[in-house]
Amino acid sequence: MSTGAFSIDQLMELAGLSVSQAVFKLHPPSKGSRVLVACGPGNNGGDGLVAARHLWHYGYQPTIYYPKQSKNELYQRLKKQLEGLTIPFENDFGKAIGETDHIVDAIFGFSFSGEVREPFPSVIEALEKTRIPVLAVDAPSSWNIETGPPESGPGRQYSPDALISLTAPKPLLKMYRGRHFVGGRFLSQAMAEKYNLDIPPYEGLDQVVELRVEGRKL
Amino acid sequence: MSTGAFSIDQLMELAGLSVSQAVFKLHPPSKGSRVLVACGPGNNGGDGLVAARHLWHYGYQPTIYYPKQSKNELYQRLKKQLEGLTIPFENDFGKAIGETDHIVDAIFGFSFSGEVREPFPSVIEALEKTRIPVLAVDAPSSWNIETGPPESGPGRQYSPDALISLTAPKPLLKMYRGRHFVGGRFLSQAMAEKYNLDIPPYEGLDQVVELRVEGRKL
């Protein structure tokens, strides 16, 4: 999809902001302020890094799991912004998952290739098993963007409690049964029509909107 | 001030988002949806361009006055983003001011040099005289960042209804008597302490906070 003159910095900031607002709507900090943000190596992970910064400003205590860090300067800056807030990075996912109230799954998203490389298989297995509420960003990690969960391997039974679709719902939504948000309030009507997207009505200043089951459309 | 690993794209997005939220809190679209965003040639104007886009998404009908357009690619992109939403640009400020419910003054801000060049003297005179509510971004245009309104010329009697200080209040606030917001929820405690800034407590997901007179500090 064309980004319509938006820079990646701008889009990632708006995407991460949406993710942070979905976390707040699901679990305000009064319901547990510890949030583990699991970040993958690509854009999905970048959205997670941005979200973690906003969550900190809302009063959460984020911890970042970011085992495969991009050398790209944008990601390096996003990481530095978190370090400036003294947000901790934790490399032991098993430890981190035992010390959190909520989880953001920002490991793989729209451009997931179907191959879950180390160290992510065990991370996805942990997400599959945990009872701690998980919000997945754009796609439950390991899911195919078109067809949903993999037929075998890590993630085949993974179904996060909540999902936030960035810009527009993806086809995998057919296979998904949980709470569903849409975020990214920046699309023009012309772009929406060009890509045949059904933009939900946002309320007030919200950067995120929850779609009820009856309103679920692709 | 160091930007702490933030890109200008990111900072401008967050600044403009704050400005748009202040407009919403002052005058929700139900109280008049037409908003004239007057943009200067520099960063203050860029904040206005971003704000206008968010205002459009909240349901406002923005019009942009942007007579001295920057050739910088960031500003060109911000302009294209507005064109993608078919937001109109109007070159006749006298006409535009007659067809709006609120005004955002994003002409000059923090780095204003003290010289009001054409075509802005008559624009500032119009802002001085109008009864339409004005929100100024970071500084009422023509005001000196330290000392406030100019002693002579356009702006000497200009006092907008509302002001949004980005990141932190500026010294000119001593001379200002109107509603006052602070925006830019991204500062670390370390940066705040380094620059001796008093960060106000933001509520919930807000990117903006109104300071009451008793809470006004520099």
Coordinates of all heavy atoms in Angstrom, one line a residue, chain B residues 19 23 27 32-39 48-49 51-52 55 60-67 87-107 123 126-127 130 132-137 158:
Chain B
V19 N -1.8 20.1 19.4 CA -2.5 21.3 19.0 C -4.0 20.9 18.7 O -4.9 21.5 19.1 CB -1.8 22.0 17.9 CG1 -2.7 23.1 17.3 CG2 -0.4 22.5 18.3
V23 N -7.6 22.2 20.4 CA -8.7 22.8 19.6 C -10.0 22.0 20.0 O -11.0 22.7 20.3 CB -8.5 22.7 18.1 CG1 -9.8 23.1 17.4 CG2 -7.3 23.6 17.7
H27 N -13.1 23.9 21.6 CA -14.3 24.0 20.8 C -14.6 22.7 20.0 O -14.1 22.5 18.9 CB -14.1 25.1 19.7 CG -13.6 26.4 20.2 ND1 -14.5 27.3 20.9 CD2 -12.4 26.9 20.3 CE1 -13.8 28.3 21.2 NE2 -12.5 28.1 20.9
G32 N -19.1 24.3 16.1 CA -18.6 25.0 14.8 C -17.5 24.2 14.2 O -16.4 24.1 14.9
S33 N -17.7 23.7 13.1 CA -16.7 22.8 12.6 C -15.6 23.5 11.7 O -14.6 22.8 11.3 CB -17.3 21.6 11.8 OG -18.0 22.1 10.7
R34 N -15.8 24.7 11.3 CA -14.9 25.4 10.4 C -13.7 25.9 11.2 O -13.9 26.6 12.2 CB -15.6 26.5 9.7 CG -16.7 26.1 8.8 CD -17.5 27.3 8.2 NE -17.9 28.2 9.2 CZ -18.4 29.4 9.0 NH1 -18.6 29.8 7.7 NH2 -18.8 30.2 10.0
V35 N -12.5 25.5 10.8 CA -11.3 26.0 11.5 C -10.3 26.4 10.5 O -10.0 25.7 9.6 CB -10.8 25.0 12.6 CG1 -10.6 23.6 11.9 CG2 -9.5 25.4 13.2
L36 N -9.8 27.7 10.7 CA -8.8 28.2 9.8 C -7.4 28.0 10.5 O -7.2 28.5 11.6 CB -9.1 29.7 9.6 CG -8.0 30.6 8.9 CD1 -7.7 30.0 7.5 CD2 -8.5 32.0 8.9
V37 N -6.6 27.4 9.8 CA -5.2 27.1 10.4 C -4.2 28.0 9.6 O -4.0 27.8 8.4 CB -4.8 25.6 10.3 CG1 -3.5 25.4 11.0 CG2 -5.9 24.8 11.0
A38 N -3.7 29.0 10.3 CA -2.8 30.0 9.7 C -1.4 29.5 10.0 O -1.0 29.4 11.1 CB -3.0 31.4 10.2
C39 N -0.7 29.1 8.9 CA 0.7 28.5 9.0 C 1.8 29.4 8.5 O 1.7 30.0 7.4 CB 0.7 27.2 8.2 SG -0.5 26.0 8.8
G48 N 1.1 23.4 12.6 CA -0.3 23.7 12.2 C -0.8 22.7 11.1 O -1.9 22.3 11.1
L49 N 0.1 22.4 10.2 CA -0.2 21.5 9.1 C -0.6 20.1 9.6 O -1.6 19.5 9.2 CB 0.9 21.3 8.1 CG 1.3 22.6 7.3 CD1 2.6 22.4 6.4 CD2 0.2 23.1 6.4
A51 N -1.7 19.5 12.7 CA -2.9 19.7 13.5 C -4.1 19.7 12.6 O -5.1 19.1 12.9 CB -2.9 21.0 14.3
A52 N -4.0 20.4 11.4 CA -5.1 20.4 10.5 C -5.6 19.0 10.1 O -6.8 18.8 10.0 CB -4.8 21.3 9.3
L55 N -7.4 17.4 12.9 CA -8.7 18.1 13.0 C -9.7 17.5 12.0 O -10.9 17.3 12.3 CB -8.6 19.6 12.9 CG -7.9 20.2 14.1 CD1 -7.5 21.7 13.8 CD2 -8.8 20.2 15.3
Y60 N -13.7 18.1 11.8 CA -13.7 19.5 11.5 C -13.6 19.7 10.0 O -13.2 18.8 9.3 CB -12.5 20.2 12.2 CG -12.6 20.3 13.7 CD1 -12.1 19.3 14.5 CD2 -13.2 21.5 14.3 CE1 -12.2 19.4 15.9 CE2 -13.3 21.6 15.6 CZ -12.8 20.6 16.4 OH -12.9 20.7 17.8
Q61 N -13.8 20.9 9.6 CA -13.6 21.3 8.2 C -12.5 22.4 8.2 O -12.7 23.6 8.3 CB -14.8 21.9 7.5 CG -16.0 21.0 7.5 CD -17.2 21.8 7.0 OE1 -17.9 22.4 7.9 NE2 -17.5 21.8 5.7
P62 N -11.2 21.9 8.1 CA -10.1 22.9 8.2 C -9.9 23.6 6.8 O -10.2 23.0 5.8 CB -8.9 22.1 8.5 CG -9.3 20.6 8.5 CD -10.7 20.5 8.1
T63 N -9.5 24.8 6.9 CA -9.0 25.6 5.8 C -7.5 26.0 6.1 O -7.3 26.4 7.3 CB -9.8 26.8 5.5 OG1 -11.1 26.4 5.1 CG2 -9.3 27.6 4.3
I64 N -6.6 25.9 5.2 CA -5.2 26.3 5.5 C -4.9 27.6 4.8 O -5.1 27.8 3.6 CB -4.3 25.2 5.0 CG1 -4.8 23.8 5.3 CG2 -2.8 25.4 5.5 CD1 -4.8 23.4 6.7
Y65 N -4.3 28.5 5.6 CA -3.6 29.7 5.1 C -2.1 29.4 5.2 O -1.6 29.3 6.3 CB -4.1 30.9 5.8 CG -3.4 32.2 5.4 CD1 -3.6 32.8 4.2 CD2 -2.4 32.7 6.3 CE1 -2.9 33.9 3.8 CE2 -1.7 33.9 5.9 CZ -2.0 34.5 4.7 OH -1.3 35.6 4.3
Y66 N -1.4 29.3 4.1 CA 0.0 28.9 4.1 C 0.7 29.7 3.0 O 1.1 29.1 2.0 CB 0.1 27.4 4.0 CG 1.4 26.8 4.2 CD1 2.4 27.3 5.1 CD2 1.8 25.6 3.5 CE1 3.6 26.7 5.2 CE2 3.0 25.0 3.7 CZ 3.9 25.6 4.5 OH 5.2 25.0 4.7
P67 N 0.9 31.0 3.2 CA 1.3 31.8 2.1 C 2.8 31.6 1.7 O 3.2 31.9 0.6 CB 1.0 33.2 2.5 CG 1.1 33.2 4.0 CD 0.6 31.8 4.4
I87 N -8.3 18.9 1.7 CA -8.5 20.1 2.6 C -8.1 21.3 1.8 O -7.0 21.3 1.2 CB -7.6 19.9 3.9 CG1 -8.2 18.8 4.7 CG2 -7.4 21.2 4.6 CD1 -7.3 18.4 5.9
P88 N -8.9 22.4 1.8 CA -8.6 23.5 0.9 C -7.5 24.5 1.5 O -7.4 24.6 2.7 CB -9.9 24.3 0.8 CG -10.7 23.9 2.0 CD -10.2 22.5 2.4
F89 N -6.7 25.0 0.6 CA -5.7 26.1 0.9 C -6.3 27.4 0.4 O -6.8 27.4 -0.7 CB -4.4 25.8 0.3 CG -3.6 24.7 1.0 CD1 -4.1 23.4 1.0 CD2 -2.4 25.0 1.6 CE1 -3.4 22.4 1.6 CE2 -1.7 24.0 2.3 CZ -2.2 22.7 2.3
E90 N -6.3 28.4 1.2 CA -6.8 29.7 0.8 C -5.8 30.8 1.0 O -5.2 30.9 2.1 CB -8.0 30.0 1.8 CG -8.6 31.4 1.7 CD -9.1 31.7 0.3 OE1 -10.0 31.0 -0.2 OE2 -8.6 32.7 -0.3
N91 N -5.5 31.6 -0.1 CA -4.5 32.6 0.0 C -4.9 33.9 0.5 O -4.1 34.8 0.8 CB -3.8 32.7 -1.4 CG -2.9 31.6 -1.6 OD1 -2.2 31.1 -0.7 ND2 -2.9 31.0 -2.8
D92 N -6.3 34.1 0.5 CA -6.8 35.4 0.9 C -7.2 35.3 2.4 O -8.2 34.8 2.7 CB -8.0 35.8 0.0 CG -8.6 37.1 0.4 OD1 -8.4 37.7 1.5 OD2 -9.3 37.6 -0.5
F93 N -6.4 35.8 3.3 CA -6.6 35.7 4.7 C -7.9 36.4 5.1 O -8.7 35.9 6.0 CB -5.4 36.2 5.6 CG -5.5 35.8 7.0 CD1 -5.2 34.5 7.4 CD2 -5.9 36.7 8.0 CE1 -5.3 34.1 8.7 CE2 -6.0 36.3 9.3 CZ -5.7 35.0 9.7
G94 N -8.1 37.6 4.5 CA -9.3 38.4 4.9 C -10.6 37.6 4.5 O -11.6 37.6 5.3
K95 N -10.6 36.9 3.4 CA -11.7 36.1 3.0 C -11.8 34.9 4.0 O -12.9 34.6 4.5 CB -11.5 35.6 1.6 CG -12.6 34.6 1.1 CD -12.4 34.4 -0.4 CE -13.5 33.5 -1.0 NZ -13.2 32.1 -0.7
A96 N -10.7 34.2 4.3 CA -10.7 33.0 5.1 C -11.2 33.3 6.5 O -12.0 32.5 7.1 CB -9.3 32.4 5.2
I97 N -10.9 34.4 7.1 CA -11.2 34.8 8.4 C -12.7 35.0 8.5 O -13.3 34.9 9.6 CB -10.4 35.9 9.0 CG1 -10.2 35.8 10.5 CG2 -10.9 37.3 8.6 CD1 -9.2 36.8 11.1
G98 N -13.3 35.4 7.4 CA -14.8 35.7 7.4 C -15.6 34.4 7.3 O -16.8 34.4 7.4
E99 N -14.9 33.3 7.1 CA -15.7 32.0 6.9 C -15.2 30.9 7.8 O -15.1 29.7 7.4 CB -15.4 31.6 5.4 CG -15.9 32.6 4.4 CD -15.5 32.2 3.0 OE1 -14.6 31.4 2.8 OE2 -16.0 32.9 2.0
T100 N -14.9 31.3 9.1 CA -14.4 30.2 10.0 C -15.1 30.4 11.4 O -15.5 31.5 11.7 CB -12.9 30.3 10.1 OG1 -12.5 29.1 10.8 CG2 -12.4 31.5 10.8
D101 N -15.0 29.4 12.1 CA -15.6 29.4 13.5 C -14.5 29.5 14.6 O -14.7 30.0 15.6 CB -16.4 28.1 13.8 CG -17.5 28.0 12.8 OD1 -18.3 28.9 12.7 OD2 -17.6 26.9 12.2
H102 N -13.3 29.0 14.2 CA -12.1 29.1 15.1 C -10.9 29.3 14.3 O -10.9 29.0 13.1 CB -11.8 27.9 16.0 CG -13.0 27.0 16.2 ND1 -14.0 27.3 17.0 CD2 -13.3 25.8 15.6 CE1 -14.9 26.3 17.0 NE2 -14.5 25.4 16.2
I103 N -9.8 29.8 14.9 CA -8.6 30.0 14.2 C -7.4 29.4 15.0 O -7.4 29.5 16.3 CB -8.3 31.5 14.1 CG1 -9.4 32.2 13.3 CG2 -7.0 31.8 13.4 CD1 -9.4 33.7 13.3
V104 N -6.5 28.8 14.3 CA -5.3 28.3 14.9 C -4.1 29.2 14.4 O -4.0 29.3 13.2 CB -4.9 26.9 14.6 CG1 -3.6 26.5 15.1 CG2 -6.0 25.9 15.2
D105 N -3.4 29.9 15.3 CA -2.3 30.8 14.9 C -1.0 30.0 15.0 O -0.5 29.8 16.1 CB -2.3 32.0 15.8 CG -1.0 32.8 15.7 OD1 -0.2 32.5 14.9 OD2 -0.8 33.7 16.6
A106 N -0.6 29.5 13.9 CA 0.6 28.7 13.8 C 1.6 29.4 12.9 O 2.3 28.8 12.1 CB 0.4 27.3 13.3
I107 N 1.6 30.7 13.0 CA 2.5 31.5 12.1 C 3.9 31.6 12.6 O 4.9 31.2 12.0 CB 1.9 33.0 11.9 CG1 0.5 32.8 11.3 CG2 2.8 33.8 11.1 CD1 -0.2 34.1 11.1
V123 N -1.9 40.0 8.5 CA -2.5 38.8 9.1 C -2.6 39.0 10.6 O -3.6 38.7 11.3 CB -1.7 37.6 8.7 CG1 -2.2 36.3 9.5 CG2 -1.8 37.3 7.2
A126 N -5.2 41.3 11.6 CA -6.5 40.7 11.6 C -6.7 39.8 12.8 O -7.8 39.8 13.4 CB -6.6 39.9 10.3
L127 N -5.7 39.1 13.2 CA -5.8 38.2 14.4 C -6.1 39.1 15.7 O -6.8 38.7 16.6 CB -4.6 37.4 14.6 CG -4.3 36.3 13.6 CD1 -3.0 35.6 13.8 CD2 -5.4 35.2 13.6
T130 N -9.9 40.4 15.4 CA -11.0 39.5 15.2 C -11.7 39.1 16.5 O -11.0 39.0 17.6 CB -10.6 38.2 14.4 OG1 -11.8 37.4 14.2 CG2 -9.7 37.3 15.3
I132 N -13.3 36.2 16.5 CA -13.3 34.7 16.4 C -12.3 34.2 17.4 O -11.2 34.7 17.4 CB -13.1 34.3 15.0 CG1 -14.2 34.8 14.1 CG2 -13.0 32.8 14.8 CD1 -13.9 34.8 12.6
P133 N -12.6 33.1 18.1 CA -11.6 32.6 19.1 C -10.3 32.1 18.4 O -10.4 31.4 17.4 CB -12.3 31.5 19.8 CG -13.6 31.3 19.2 CD -13.8 32.4 18.2
V134 N -9.2 32.5 18.9 CA -7.9 32.1 18.4 C -7.1 31.2 19.4 O -7.0 31.6 20.6 CB -7.0 33.3 18.0 CG1 -5.6 32.9 17.6 CG2 -7.7 34.2 17.0
L135 N -6.5 30.1 18.9 CA -5.6 29.3 19.7 C -4.2 29.6 19.1 O -4.0 29.3 17.9 CB -5.9 27.9 19.7 CG -4.8 26.9 20.2 CD1 -4.7 27.0 21.7 CD2 -5.2 25.4 19.8
A136 N -3.3 30.1 19.9 CA -1.9 30.3 19.4 C -1.0 29.1 19.7 O -1.1 28.6 20.8 CB -1.3 31.6 20.0
V137 N -0.1 28.8 18.8 CA 0.7 27.6 19.0 C 2.1 28.1 19.5 O 2.8 28.9 18.8 CB 0.9 26.8 17.7 CG1 1.9 25.7 17.9 CG2 -0.4 26.3 17.2
Y158 N -2.2 42.2 20.6 CA -2.7 40.9 20.2 C -2.7 40.0 21.5 O -1.6 39.8 22.1 CB -1.9 40.3 19.1 CG -2.2 38.9 18.7 CD1 -3.5 38.4 18.7 CD2 -1.2 38.0 18.4 CE1 -3.7 37.0 18.3 CE2 -1.4 36.7 18.0 CZ -2.7 36.2 18.0 OH -2.9 34.9 17.6

